[in-house]
Amino acid sequence: MEDHPELMPLLTVAGGTTRGLSFRVGRDPQVIGRAPTAGIVLDDPHLSRRHAAVQLIGEGVSLVDLGSTNGTWLNDRRIAGIELLSDGDVIRLGRTELRFFDPGVARTDPVGLSFAAPRRDHRPTLPLPVPPAPRVSVEPRGGVLPLPPAPVDAHR
């Protein structure tokens, strides 16, 4: 998998001051925090210097809180101990929201849209037709419309 970095799992900042940044998750543990020595540095004053860590392991990608003050939240649940991530998971650290994307088992794209098969019991919502705007006739005062200025020929 390291031979094809595009297949490595990905954490994307979906909310916070560093929105849009993405980080590949590798086999070495990567500390997430605000310390400049962290593997994944996030500019969020509500993060601990060494807040959490992610790592690619045999079963998938693990997430662990490193004793942070404000905790690490996985899908709106505060974690205690090591948790395995699934494609589409939402991780909240301080005021930063990360989305987990695993191309090897992807059911979502990096921003969390579903790739699942469409439901047969649900019809897609279609936009309503918009009627054309009525044409309004404008009568100028004095009865004559002024002509626009003639274009200037640059080749003369």
Side-chain angles (χ1 to χ4, degrees):
M1 194 178 298
E2 282 88 3
D3 296 340
H4 299 281
E6 67 276 4
L7 297 178
M8 299 291 289
L10 181 73
L11 286 174
T12 300
V13 180
T17 58
T18 54
R19 185 176 183 180
L21 288 179
S22 293
F23 308 93
R24 294 284 176 186
V25 180
R27 297 211 181 274
D28 295 329
Q30 292 172 280
V31 172
I32 304 170
R34 60 182 169 82
T37 56
I40 299 174
V41 179
L42 299 175
D43 182 26
D44 182 342
H46 299 277
L47 282 178
S48 296
R49 286 181 188 88
R50 296 174 42 85
H51 197 100
V54 290
Q55 181 178 8
L56 182 61
I57 58 174
E59 300 84 34
V61 173
S62 67
L63 170 69
V64 64
D65 183 81
L66 299 176
S68 67
T69 303
N70 294 324
T72 298
W73 299 75
L74 176 60
N75 299 323
D76 294 325
R77 180 180 53 83
R78 189 172 184 161
I79 67 168
I82 298 174
E83 296 277 339
L84 284 178
L85 298 178
S86 298
D87 183 59
D89 278 348
V90 176
I91 302 162
R92 190 168 38 86
L93 312 159
R95 300 251 168 100
T96 301
E97 183 177 287
L98 302 167
R99 296 214 180 238
F100 177 69
F101 174 63
D102 189 349
V105 296
R107 293 190 48 169
T108 63
D109 74 359
V111 293
L113 298 175
S114 178
F115 285 149
R119 293 174 33 191
R120 294 191 183 271
D121 64 335
H122 178 70
R123 290 185 6 203
T125 302
L126 298 175
L128 294 173
V130 177
R135 299 191 84 160
V136 178
S137 174
V138 177
E139 291 290 325
R141 293 182 189 186
V144 179
L145 284 175
L147 293 174
V152 177
D153 188 1
H155 299 290
R156 286 190 175 180

